[in-house]
Amino acid sequence: MQIIQNRRTFLVGLSAAGGAGLLKVRPSNAAEPPPETTTVRLGRWNNAAYCWGAVYLAGELMRADGLTDVRYVEVDHTVDNSQWLARGDTDFDMNMPSMHISLIEAGVPIKILTGVHTGCFELIANDSVQRVTDLRGKRVGVGNIGSHPQILVSLMANYVGLDPANDINWVESRNPIQSFMDNEVDAVLSAMPEPLMLRAKKIGHTVVSNEVDRPWSQYFCCMVAGNADYVNKHPATTKRVLKAILTAADLCASNPELAAQELIAQGFVPNYDDALGTLRETGHDKWRDYDAQDSIRFYALRMQETGMIRSSPQQIIANGTDFRFLKELKRELKT
């Protein structure tokens, strides 16, 4: 009964937002083919990943659009969530372009389908680091080598002429943010809502924000990829999944207060202020304007330059992307 009530409350809230001219929620056109399957599996972090708001809130929209078996799967949190998709634990994953590209380079059959938003990450540092070039010889905290924070900071460093393998002292830590707060490292890549907490405590300063600082702010930080077999076998279902995620992204951008309330009500995250702050700081309205393919090209080129991949951006795009659904939805979901 509680699930039904939450669903009704959420959909009523969406309707109210739409009535205010902020969001239009409508089921798929009757002319659209029916979903080939009504089951979809999405990952779920344990009281974390506030930037996953659009994916979390999309579940009720999918159910309202005929996908009756939407599962948020509790999976292995000791690995990057790209491995959830690679292992077959989930059908879709939202992740940094670099992590999707790494799977494509490794031959994992996935398709990158859409960008969702910008602005998840900030490189935070102490006073010894005022710009990225100052990372030479400094300690940078990461969960582990090969994690997406380590990859992104490496790309930032290489972009300004540093050799990330030799110029940076990478410090692996079970809690890089705490290591930074304890002055055990000089810099750390923080993910929303961590920058909000550090600013509130007046700890460190922002060196790079991928919401406002170019070139990183010009490209998606979070993109959705799907299992290639699922996408190929279930195109109508896939389109409904993406439609729900992008509609939820519209809500996150236009009414972050309602979106944050629903994230709490549905039990996905524990703190309203952190949820609201994250939604306000991330560009959920960018999916309409940014070029998803250009984001893949940019990150693939940066990764090729650092030796992380051998494939060219053109090969990555040809082998691992499918933007036909996004093109259709940009037309259909015009405000």
Side-chain angles (χ1 to χ4, degrees), residues 121-124 140-141 148-149 152-153 156 177 187-191 194:
F121 299 105
E122 292 187 19
L123 178 63
I124 306 289
V140 177
H148 67 79
L152 182 54
V153 176
M156 290 178 176
I177 295 297
V188 66
L189 190 74
S190 59
E194 292 164 342

Side-chain angles (χ1 to χ4, degrees), residues 30-276:
E32 293 268 353
E36 301 86 358
T37 177
T38 57
T39 298
V40 61
R41 298 169 303 156
L42 305 166
R44 174 172 179 163
W45 291 94
N46 183 22
N47 285 335
Y50 284 81
C51 63
W52 276 42
V55 174
Y56 290 153
L57 297 181
E60 294 304 335
L61 298 176
M62 294 179 205
R63 295 181 183 102
D65 204 14
L67 306 186
T68 55
D69 186 16
V70 179
R71 306 175 189 177
Y72 285 93
V73 184
E74 291 279 0
V75 285
D76 182 3
H77 293 152
T78 66
V79 300
D80 184 82
N81 47 290
S82 61
Q83 295 305 308
W84 305 347
L85 188 60
R87 294 175 179 180
D89 297 329
T90 59
D91 301 311
F92 296 90
D93 177 52
M94 186 162 78
N95 213 323
M96 282 288 295
S98 55
M99 305 311 289
H100 293 320
I101 291 168
S102 294
L103 291 187
I104 296 166
E105 171 77 356
V108 178
I110 69 167
K111 294 294 181 182
I112 303 172
L113 303 167
T114 184
V116 178
H117 63 79
T118 61
C120 274
F121 299 105
E122 292 187 19
L123 178 63
I124 306 289
N126 60 27
D127 289 341
S128 70
V129 179
Q130 297 297 320
R131 55 188 64 83
V132 177
T133 51
D134 294 337
L135 289 177
R136 188 189 303 273
K138 298 301 193 299
R139 303 163 300 170
V140 177
V142 294
N144 54 72
I145 303 300
S147 63
H148 67 79
Q150 193 263 338
I151 289 176
L152 182 54
V153 176
S154 294
L155 297 180
M156 290 178 176
N158 184 75
Y159 192 78
V160 297
L162 298 182
D163 177 355
N166 297 306
D167 289 339
I168 294 176
N169 180 14
W170 300 104
V171 179
E172 293 183 287
S173 168
R174 299 182 72 175
N175 189 334
I177 295 297
Q178 188 61 51
S179 295
F180 179 70
M181 295 173 66
D182 293 340
N183 202 31
E184 296 171 353
V185 297
D186 301 301
V188 66
L189 190 74
S190 59
M192 286 294 170
E194 292 164 342
L196 306 177
M197 178 270 291
L198 293 172
R199 285 202 289 272
K201 293 179 179 291
K202 301 185 184 304
I203 298 175
H205 65 276
T206 299
V207 178
V208 177
S209 163
N210 69 350
E211 175 64 11
V212 298
D213 293 314
R214 296 189 175 196
W216 315 100
S217 62
Q218 296 175 286
Y219 306 98
F220 288 111
C221 68
C222 286
M223 304 187 75
V224 170
N227 174 281
D229 187 57
Y230 188 102
V231 171
N232 292 332
K233 287 184 177 178
H234 311 306
T237 305
T238 296
K239 184 176 178 181
R240 281 169 164 80
V241 170
L242 296 185
K243 177 185 175 183
I245 293 172
L246 295 177
T247 300
D250 280 344
L251 176 67
C252 291
S254 63
N255 195 336
E257 295 82 6
L258 174 61
Q261 290 169 11
E262 288 302 326
L263 288 171
I264 300 299
Q266 296 184 37
F268 285 110
V269 296
N271 187 288
Y272 173 79
D273 289 336
D274 285 346
L276 181 60

